[in-house]
Amino acid sequence: LCHSMMGWLQLSSDNVVLIQCNNGWNRSGLIVSCLLKFCGAVESTFDAMNLFQSRRLKTKSIPINIQESISNTTRYLKYFNDTMVLAGRVPNPTCLNLHQIIISTIPNFDGSGNCFPGLEIFQNNELRLSSQCDSDVYLFKDELNIIFKLNEEIGLLERDITIHIFHTHPQTGQRSTIFSFTFNTAFSHPGVVR
């Protein structure tokens, strides 16, 4: 994407690049930061994001809807920065074998201490595993922790992975997101990932 934008901008001084996302900050800030690092205008993607924030946000406080996705944005700023430092190479171009997912401190959804969590795993935006709130998907469960066991069906994971943990309301069947996070396996260290 940065190659395409830079190529377009270098064709003519009249050319411009427009970058837009839903909230005007998160994904736009990520792309602008990567482009500024790519063209050498800043030392790091984090410097670029600070510059973007100072120019884009009228207040010093970040809106709540944006705060929720900052960790994923920060993670991808680091990924891009690391790739630039390594001259385009990724640090660990191997697949990830995910055995289990541990959740500590389970939220209380009904006021009685109940939570019926489920799990979805996406690889490059394609669903790889979906478990409903069924005791068969748990390796271990007590009042504070759940360990999801992952069977052999999921196989090796690579590239962009999204883990989505949700609560299923027993009466309605509706899902509420507990948390969701995204990472790229090329930037995961071998061994236990926490």
Side-chain angles (χ1 to χ4, degrees):
L1 194 53
C2 288
H3 279 288
S4 295
M5 289 187 288
M6 281 301 296
W8 173 250
L9 292 171
Q10 290 171 344
L11 283 175
S12 170
S13 60
D14 292 333
N15 290 350
V16 295
V17 172
L18 299 176
I19 299 170
Q20 186 267 335
C21 68
N22 286 340
N23 60 30
W25 183 88
N26 194 23
R27 290 182 197 105
S28 295
L30 177 65
I31 295 300
V32 168
S33 298
C34 291
L35 180 61
L36 289 172
K37 170 64 178 164
F38 184 80
C39 71
V42 292
E43 286 293 315
S44 75
T45 52
F46 298 103
D47 293 339
M49 182 58 90
N50 289 335
L51 176 63
F52 178 82
Q53 288 175 350
S54 71
R55 301 281 175 90
R56 178 69 177 97
L57 297 176
K58 301 207 185 308
T59 65
K60 295 292 182 193
S61 63
I62 299 172
I64 297 296
N65 63 333
I66 294 172
Q67 290 177 5
E68 295 170 358
S69 57
I70 285 177
S71 62
N72 282 335
T73 301
T74 303
R75 186 177 302 112
Y76 276 87
L77 286 171
K78 181 175 180 348
Y79 291 167
F80 190 85
N81 204 66
D82 290 353
T83 302
M84 292 295 295
V85 168
L86 294 170
R89 297 185 316 274
V90 292
N92 183 26
T94 59
C95 298
L96 176 70
N97 191 355
L98 197 56
H99 298 281
Q100 61 188 16
I101 295 176
I102 303 169
I103 303 174
S104 299
T105 314
I106 301 168
N108 178 356
F109 272 90
D110 66 358
S112 300
N114 292 319
C115 178
F116 301 98
L119 165 72
E120 291 178 328
I121 299 176
F122 296 85
Q123 176 177 281
N124 302 315
N125 293 324
E126 291 182 19
L127 184 64
R128 290 287 302 272
L129 174 79
S130 180
S131 71
Q132 297 299 314
C133 54
D134 183 342
S135 61
D136 291 343
V137 302
Y138 307 128
L139 180 63
F140 173 82
K141 180 179 179 185
D142 66 14
E143 63 277 351
L144 296 176
N145 304 288
I146 290 180
I147 300 176
F148 286 100
K149 63 183 177 181
L150 302 176
N151 54 29
E152 300 296 322
E153 292 175 18
I154 194 161
L156 294 174
L157 299 172
E158 61 181 346
R159 299 176 31 203
D160 286 325
I161 306 300
T162 300
I163 309 289
H164 179 228
I165 307 293
F166 57 87
H167 163 75
T168 301
H169 299 274
Q171 288 80 22
T172 65
Q174 289 183 312
R175 292 181 176 183
S176 297
T177 296
I178 297 174
F179 69 88
S180 182
F181 67 95
T182 303
F183 63 95
N184 189 295
T185 59
F187 296 88
S188 298
H189 299 287
V192 176
V193 177
R194 296 193 185 268

